[in-house]
Short mmCIF file of all heavy atoms in Angstrom, two decimals:
data_model
loop_
_atom_site.label_atom_id
_atom_site.label_comp_id
_atom_site.label_asym_id
_atom_site.label_seq_id
_atom_site.Cartn_x
_atom_site.Cartn_y
_atom_site.Cartn_z
N VAL I 263 -13.53 13.33 4.86
CA VAL I 263 -13.76 14.28 6.11
C VAL I 263 -13.13 13.63 7.30
O VAL I 263 -12.27 14.34 7.93
CB VAL I 263 -15.29 14.43 6.26
CG1 VAL I 263 -15.47 15.17 7.64
CG2 VAL I 263 -15.96 15.11 5.16
N TYR I 264 -13.32 12.44 7.59
CA TYR I 264 -12.80 11.77 8.73
C TYR I 264 -11.29 11.66 8.57
O TYR I 264 -10.53 12.03 9.55
CB TYR I 264 -13.48 10.35 8.92
CG TYR I 264 -13.22 9.65 10.24
CD1 TYR I 264 -14.14 8.87 10.68
CD2 TYR I 264 -12.05 9.86 11.03
CE1 TYR I 264 -14.00 8.12 11.90
CE2 TYR I 264 -11.86 9.24 12.19
CZ TYR I 264 -12.88 8.36 12.65
OH TYR I 264 -12.65 7.71 13.81
N GLY I 265 -10.72 11.36 7.49
CA GLY I 265 -9.39 11.07 7.25
C GLY I 265 -8.49 12.33 7.33
O GLY I 265 -7.45 12.43 7.98
N PHE I 266 -9.02 13.50 6.65
CA PHE I 266 -8.24 14.65 6.71
C PHE I 266 -8.31 15.26 8.12
O PHE I 266 -7.28 15.84 8.53
CB PHE I 266 -8.74 15.70 5.71
CG PHE I 266 -8.17 15.53 4.33
CD1 PHE I 266 -8.87 15.00 3.30
CD2 PHE I 266 -6.87 15.94 4.15
CE1 PHE I 266 -8.44 14.80 2.12
CE2 PHE I 266 -6.35 15.83 2.85
CZ PHE I 266 -7.12 15.25 1.78
N THR I 267 -9.39 15.10 8.83
CA THR I 267 -9.40 15.64 10.19
C THR I 267 -8.46 14.93 11.05
O THR I 267 -7.71 15.48 11.87
CB THR I 267 -10.92 15.50 10.82
OG1 THR I 267 -11.83 16.16 9.82
CG2 THR I 267 -11.05 16.15 12.18
N THR I 268 -8.31 13.50 10.92
CA THR I 268 -7.38 12.78 11.72
C THR I 268 -6.00 13.13 11.50
O THR I 268 -5.25 13.37 12.37
CB THR I 268 -7.64 11.30 11.35
OG1 THR I 268 -8.92 10.79 11.71
CG2 THR I 268 -6.57 10.42 12.15
N MET I 269 -5.70 13.40 10.16
CA MET I 269 -4.34 13.80 9.89
C MET I 269 -3.98 15.14 10.39
O MET I 269 -2.85 15.39 10.67
CB MET I 269 -4.17 13.72 8.36
CG MET I 269 -3.98 12.25 7.88
SD MET I 269 -2.54 11.36 8.63
CE MET I 269 -1.08 12.38 8.12
N TYR I 270 -5.01 16.02 10.44
CA TYR I 270 -4.73 17.34 11.06
C TYR I 270 -4.44 17.12 12.59
O TYR I 270 -3.55 17.68 13.17
CB TYR I 270 -5.94 18.25 10.90
CG TYR I 270 -5.86 19.54 11.85
CD1 TYR I 270 -4.98 20.46 11.68
CD2 TYR I 270 -6.59 19.43 13.01
CE1 TYR I 270 -4.80 21.51 12.58
CE2 TYR I 270 -6.53 20.56 13.98
CZ TYR I 270 -5.54 21.57 13.70
OH TYR I 270 -5.45 22.56 14.54
N ARG I 271 -5.18 16.21 13.17
CA ARG I 271 -4.97 15.98 14.67
C ARG I 271 -3.50 15.45 14.90
O ARG I 271 -3.00 15.69 15.91
CB ARG I 271 -6.07 15.02 15.19
CG ARG I 271 -7.39 15.64 15.27
CD ARG I 271 -8.36 14.86 16.20
NE ARG I 271 -8.64 13.46 15.69
CZ ARG I 271 -8.22 12.36 16.13
NH1 ARG I 271 -7.44 12.41 17.17
NH2 ARG I 271 -8.68 11.32 15.70
N ARG I 272 -3.04 14.64 13.99
CA ARG I 272 -1.72 14.08 14.12
C ARG I 272 -0.58 14.97 13.76
O ARG I 272 0.48 14.70 14.19
CB ARG I 272 -1.66 12.84 13.26
CG ARG I 272 -2.72 11.73 13.59
CD ARG I 272 -2.78 11.36 14.97
NE ARG I 272 -3.78 10.28 15.22
CZ ARG I 272 -4.55 10.16 16.29
NH1 ARG I 272 -4.45 11.10 17.28
NH2 ARG I 272 -5.37 9.12 16.35
N THR I 273 -0.88 16.10 13.07
CA THR I 273 0.22 16.88 12.58
C THR I 273 0.06 18.29 12.96
O THR I 273 1.04 19.11 12.89
CB THR I 273 0.32 16.81 11.03
OG1 THR I 273 -0.90 17.35 10.43
CG2 THR I 273 0.42 15.28 10.42
N GLY I 274 -1.12 18.89 13.13
CA GLY I 274 -1.31 20.30 13.30
C GLY I 274 -1.27 21.09 11.99
O GLY I 274 -1.21 22.26 12.03
N ASP I 275 -1.25 20.41 10.91
CA ASP I 275 -1.09 21.07 9.61
C ASP I 275 -2.47 21.79 9.24
O ASP I 275 -3.44 21.12 9.05
CB ASP I 275 -0.77 20.10 8.55
CG ASP I 275 -0.42 20.76 7.15
OD1 ASP I 275 -0.96 21.86 6.87
OD2 ASP I 275 0.22 20.09 6.26
N PRO I 276 -2.49 23.17 9.24
CA PRO I 276 -3.72 23.89 8.98
C PRO I 276 -4.31 23.61 7.54
O PRO I 276 -5.53 23.70 7.40
CB PRO I 276 -3.30 25.30 9.23
CG PRO I 276 -1.87 25.40 8.84
CD PRO I 276 -1.31 24.12 9.45
N GLU I 277 -3.45 23.34 6.58
CA GLU I 277 -4.03 23.07 5.29
C GLU I 277 -4.82 21.78 5.27
O GLU I 277 -5.80 21.61 4.57
CB GLU I 277 -2.88 22.92 4.28
CG GLU I 277 -2.16 24.33 4.00
CD GLU I 277 -1.16 24.21 2.89
OE1 GLU I 277 -0.67 23.01 2.60
OE2 GLU I 277 -0.79 25.19 2.32
N LEU I 278 -4.48 20.80 6.05
CA LEU I 278 -5.22 19.52 6.15
C LEU I 278 -6.57 19.79 6.83
O LEU I 278 -7.62 19.27 6.41
CB LEU I 278 -4.43 18.46 6.85
CG LEU I 278 -3.19 17.96 6.26
CD1 LEU I 278 -2.47 16.92 6.99
CD2 LEU I 278 -3.29 17.58 4.71
N LEU I 279 -6.50 20.63 7.87
CA LEU I 279 -7.79 21.03 8.52
C LEU I 279 -8.78 21.79 7.53
O LEU I 279 -9.88 21.57 7.50
CB LEU I 279 -7.49 21.93 9.72
CG LEU I 279 -8.72 22.34 10.49
CD1 LEU I 279 -9.62 21.28 11.08
CD2 LEU I 279 -8.36 23.27 11.66
N ALA I 280 -8.12 22.71 6.79
CA ALA I 280 -9.00 23.46 5.80
C ALA I 280 -9.60 22.48 4.80
O ALA I 280 -10.74 22.67 4.42
CB ALA I 280 -8.12 24.52 4.99
N THR I 281 -8.81 21.46 4.36
CA THR I 281 -9.41 20.49 3.43
C THR I 281 -10.52 19.68 4.04
O THR I 281 -11.57 19.49 3.46
CB THR I 281 -8.29 19.56 2.89
OG1 THR I 281 -7.24 20.32 2.30
CG2 THR I 281 -8.90 18.55 1.93
N ALA I 282 -10.40 19.21 5.31
CA ALA I 282 -11.38 18.52 6.04
C ALA I 282 -12.70 19.45 6.01
O ALA I 282 -13.75 18.88 5.87
CB ALA I 282 -10.88 18.18 7.45
N ARG I 283 -12.63 20.64 6.29
CA ARG I 283 -13.66 21.56 6.45
C ARG I 283 -14.38 21.73 5.05
O ARG I 283 -15.57 21.79 5.04
CB ARG I 283 -13.35 22.87 7.09
CG ARG I 283 -12.94 22.79 8.51
CD ARG I 283 -12.68 24.19 9.19
NE ARG I 283 -13.87 24.97 9.12
CZ ARG I 283 -13.97 26.13 9.66
NH1 ARG I 283 -12.93 26.68 10.08
NH2 ARG I 283 -15.13 26.85 9.51
N HIS I 284 -13.55 21.87 4.08
CA HIS I 284 -14.09 22.09 2.77
C HIS I 284 -14.80 20.82 2.29
O HIS I 284 -15.98 20.99 1.79
CB HIS I 284 -12.91 22.25 1.79
CG HIS I 284 -13.18 22.79 0.49
ND1 HIS I 284 -14.21 23.76 0.29
CD2 HIS I 284 -12.68 22.54 -0.79
CE1 HIS I 284 -14.29 24.01 -1.08
NE2 HIS I 284 -13.34 23.34 -1.69
N LEU I 285 -14.43 19.67 2.56
CA LEU I 285 -15.04 18.40 2.32
C LEU I 285 -16.33 18.33 3.15
O LEU I 285 -17.38 17.85 2.66
CB LEU I 285 -14.27 17.25 2.42
CG LEU I 285 -13.34 16.79 1.08
CD1 LEU I 285 -12.48 17.89 0.67
CD2 LEU I 285 -12.59 15.56 1.51
N ALA I 286 -16.24 18.61 4.46
CA ALA I 286 -17.32 18.55 5.29
C ALA I 286 -18.44 19.47 4.96
O ALA I 286 -19.60 19.12 4.89
CB ALA I 286 -16.94 18.81 6.71
N ASP I 287 -18.21 20.72 4.51
CA ASP I 287 -19.13 21.69 4.23
C ASP I 287 -19.90 21.20 2.90
O ASP I 287 -21.17 21.37 2.87
CB ASP I 287 -18.59 22.98 3.96
CG ASP I 287 -17.99 23.65 5.23
OD1 ASP I 287 -18.32 23.23 6.21
OD2 ASP I 287 -17.21 24.58 5.12
N PHE I 288 -19.25 20.57 2.00
CA PHE I 288 -19.96 20.01 0.84
C PHE I 288 -20.92 18.94 1.33
O PHE I 288 -22.09 18.96 0.87
CB PHE I 288 -19.00 19.53 -0.24
CG PHE I 288 -19.82 18.88 -1.40
CD1 PHE I 288 -20.23 19.68 -2.33
CD2 PHE I 288 -20.09 17.61 -1.47
CE1 PHE I 288 -20.94 19.05 -3.46
CE2 PHE I 288 -20.72 16.95 -2.45
CZ PHE I 288 -21.22 17.75 -3.46
N ALA I 289 -20.51 17.95 2.15
CA ALA I 289 -21.26 16.79 2.44
C ALA I 289 -22.41 17.22 3.26
O ALA I 289 -23.57 16.83 3.10
CB ALA I 289 -20.39 15.91 3.29
N VAL I 290 -22.20 18.28 4.20
CA VAL I 290 -23.39 18.67 4.97
C VAL I 290 -24.40 19.39 4.10
O VAL I 290 -25.58 19.16 4.31
CB VAL I 290 -22.84 19.65 6.18
CG1 VAL I 290 -23.99 20.31 6.82
CG2 VAL I 290 -22.12 18.84 7.14
N GLY I 291 -23.96 20.15 3.15
CA GLY I 291 -24.90 20.86 2.28
C GLY I 291 -25.56 19.91 1.31
O GLY I 291 -26.62 20.27 0.84
N ALA I 292 -24.96 18.80 1.15
CA ALA I 292 -25.68 17.84 0.13
C ALA I 292 -26.64 16.85 0.85
O ALA I 292 -27.34 16.02 0.21
CB ALA I 292 -24.60 17.00 -0.53
N LEU I 293 -26.75 16.92 2.17
CA LEU I 293 -27.62 16.04 2.89
C LEU I 293 -29.07 16.37 2.70
O LEU I 293 -29.46 17.52 2.59
CB LEU I 293 -27.35 16.09 4.47
CG LEU I 293 -26.05 15.53 5.00
CD1 LEU I 293 -25.91 15.82 6.36
CD2 LEU I 293 -26.01 14.02 4.70
N THR I 294 -29.90 15.35 2.55
CA THR I 294 -31.28 15.53 2.30
C THR I 294 -31.92 15.71 3.82
O THR I 294 -31.34 15.51 4.79
CB THR I 294 -31.89 14.31 1.71
OG1 THR I 294 -31.47 13.09 2.37
CG2 THR I 294 -31.52 14.22 0.24
N PRO I 295 -33.19 16.28 3.76
CA PRO I 295 -33.84 16.45 5.12
C PRO I 295 -33.77 15.32 6.14
O PRO I 295 -33.84 15.48 7.32
CB PRO I 295 -35.20 16.97 4.77
CG PRO I 295 -35.01 17.51 3.34
CD PRO I 295 -33.98 16.63 2.77
N ASP I 296 -33.84 14.09 5.55
CA ASP I 296 -33.80 12.94 6.46
C ASP I 296 -32.51 12.61 6.96
O ASP I 296 -32.39 11.72 7.88
CB ASP I 296 -34.41 11.73 5.66
CG ASP I 296 -33.59 11.19 4.59
OD1 ASP I 296 -32.48 11.82 4.28
OD2 ASP I 296 -33.96 10.21 3.91
N HIS I 297 -31.47 13.24 6.53
CA HIS I 297 -30.14 13.14 7.10
C HIS I 297 -29.56 11.70 7.06
O HIS I 297 -28.75 11.33 7.71
CB HIS I 297 -30.07 13.46 8.56
CG HIS I 297 -29.79 14.99 8.74
ND1 HIS I 297 -30.91 15.86 8.63
CD2 HIS I 297 -28.72 15.71 8.96
CE1 HIS I 297 -30.48 17.09 8.72
NE2 HIS I 297 -29.16 17.11 8.89
N VAL I 298 -30.04 10.92 5.94
CA VAL I 298 -29.41 9.65 5.62
C VAL I 298 -28.80 9.88 4.13
O VAL I 298 -29.60 10.04 3.23
CB VAL I 298 -30.45 8.49 5.59
CG1 VAL I 298 -29.74 7.19 5.27
CG2 VAL I 298 -31.06 8.46 6.90
#
Side-chain angles (χ1 to χ4, degrees):
V263 172
Y264 194 149
F266 273 107
T267 306
T268 299
M269 283 303 295
Y270 166 74
R271 289 197 293 108
R272 302 307 183 215
T273 65
D275 185 338
E277 291 185 339
L278 299 181
L279 178 60
T281 303
R283 293 187 61 178
H284 196 34
L285 271 58
D287 291 344
F288 176 86
V290 171
L293 291 173
T294 48
D296 66 356
H297 277 77
V298 182

